[in-house]
Amino acid sequence: MCRSVDVKQAVLAKNDDLAAALRGDLARQGVTVVNLLSSPGSGKTELLGRVLARAVERDVPVAALTADLATENDARRLARSGAPVQQVLTDGLCHLEAGQVRRRLEGWLPARTQVLFVENVGNLVCPASYDLGETLRIVLMAVTEGEDKPLKYPTAFGSAHLVVVTKTDLAEAAGFDEAAFRANVHRVNPGVEIVGTCARTGDGVGTVLERALATRDAAPPHRPPLAPHPHGHQHDDDRDRGDGHGPAHEAQEAYQAHEANEAHTVHGTAGDARGDHLAHPRPAAAPAS
């Protein structure tokens, strides 16, 4: 068990070193990296395509890498925006690593590029642990995925500089409880901005682009408790208080509290042995703005 943990830590440490070097190299070239994480089917590719198209319309030099286990379908979709796009095939790996990003950029990244968007593999587990040399990490979730998702995936949401809600046109039909979602996000990542978007109507597309450009212009992003790069690693945050109970620990506690509550709900209490309170309707809410 200890050997497994040691190997994982060594892999992550090597990746962090590569990511830091990549971030420095790209910064010297005037390139800001935006890492997009989400579950499969969140609408990440469609939204990114709209953001790239908006940037091209404004003559902002952008480019994109998109990662999948197989096929170049997403690269073809994104290329319709008019921005330079390359596909990274991970050959079964469920996440991108900094070394893969560096290798794909060699000899390809256009010289004028100011913002590089990296669309990570659709997965909220492994990608959350790997720094890709980004300055801005965006975690996305569709309104159809459930308001408690931030509690189920605290590492991903707790490391986000920006949280984006997609498919807001479906919010009412899905019974999306925006207030509950926002409360859950802020339990694991206090103060992080949450932006509602709809690729179909274009709502929120400009806001996502503006946040990326603000980072390009050196505006300091939100500092999440599980910061994904050397300006605030998870273990650094825990050391801040010297007792192992820093913001990173608190984000994990939010997850554990959620799990305990779920267990209580399923099994019931002495006064509610059948657990009938398991089924309670979610109020519908207006689409996020």
Side-chain angles (χ1 to χ4, degrees), residues 198-215:
C198 176
R200 181 179 299 174
T201 64
D203 290 348
V205 170
T207 302
V208 174
L209 177 59
E210 288 302 328
R211 298 301 180 268
L213 296 182
T215 304

Side-chain angles (χ1 to χ4, degrees), residues 155-231:
T155 302
F157 284 89
S159 66
H161 298 106
L162 176 69
V163 172
V164 170
V165 182
T166 62
K167 305 183 183 181
T168 55
D169 55 326
L170 302 178
E172 185 174 359
F176 180 63
D177 187 341
E178 181 184 349
F181 171 75
R182 287 177 175 272
N184 289 336
V185 169
H186 289 144
R187 283 179 66 186
V188 299
N189 195 340
V192 69
E193 182 181 9
I194 302 170
V195 175
T197 65
C198 176
R200 181 179 299 174
T201 64
D203 290 348
V205 170
T207 302
V208 174
L209 177 59
E210 288 302 328
R211 298 301 180 268
L213 296 182
T215 304
R216 173 204 64 179
D217 296 335
H222 163 76
R223 180 181 171 86
L226 304 184
H229 57 68
H231 299 298

Side-chain angles (χ1 to χ4, degrees), residues 11-41:
V11 169
L12 290 175
K14 179 181 179 181
N15 181 83
D16 284 351
D17 290 342
L18 291 172
L22 178 60
R23 182 167 29 253
D25 290 346
L26 290 175
R28 285 186 284 274
Q29 299 173 43
V31 181
T32 293
V33 180
V34 179
N35 184 9
L36 290 86
L37 284 71
S38 79
S39 300

Side-chain angles (χ1 to χ4, degrees), residues 42-202:
S42 69
K44 179 168 74 272
T45 304
E46 187 65 24
L47 179 64
L48 177 55
R50 295 298 185 100
V51 171
L52 293 173
R54 186 71 59 88
V56 170
E57 289 171 6
R58 292 178 49 179
D59 198 29
V60 177
V62 296
L65 292 180
T66 181
D68 272 310
L69 278 69
T71 83
E72 296 192 0
N73 293 346
D74 284 355
R76 285 191 285 270
R77 294 186 182 103
L78 293 177
R80 296 170 191 160
S81 67
V85 178
Q86 287 286 298
Q87 180 81 49
V88 179
L89 296 179
T90 65
D91 294 324
L93 195 64
C94 64
H95 60 275
L96 272 176
E97 297 181 3
Q100 293 172 300
V101 174
R102 178 180 284 281
R103 287 192 295 274
R104 201 68 188 87
L105 293 179
E106 289 176 355
W108 169 74
L109 188 65
R112 292 180 60 245
T113 303
Q114 295 179 1
V115 181
L116 172 67
F117 291 91
V118 180
E119 182 184 15
N120 219 311
V121 179
N123 181 352
L124 282 176
V125 183
C126 297
S129 298
Y130 286 84
D131 180 4
L132 301 183
E134 71 259 30
T135 303
L136 184 67
R137 174 175 290 197
I138 301 178
V139 175
L140 305 92
M141 192 198 90
V143 297
T144 53
E145 295 182 60
E147 297 85 353
D148 62 345
K149 198 145 199 176
L151 303 181
K152 293 180 177 179
Y153 299 91
T155 302
F157 284 89
S159 66
H161 298 106
L162 176 69
V163 172
V164 170
V165 182
T166 62
K167 305 183 183 181
T168 55
D169 55 326
L170 302 178
E172 185 174 359
F176 180 63
D177 187 341
E178 181 184 349
F181 171 75
R182 287 177 175 272
N184 289 336
V185 169
H186 289 144
R187 283 179 66 186
V188 299
N189 195 340
V192 69
E193 182 181 9
I194 302 170
V195 175
T197 65
C198 176
R200 181 179 299 174
T201 64

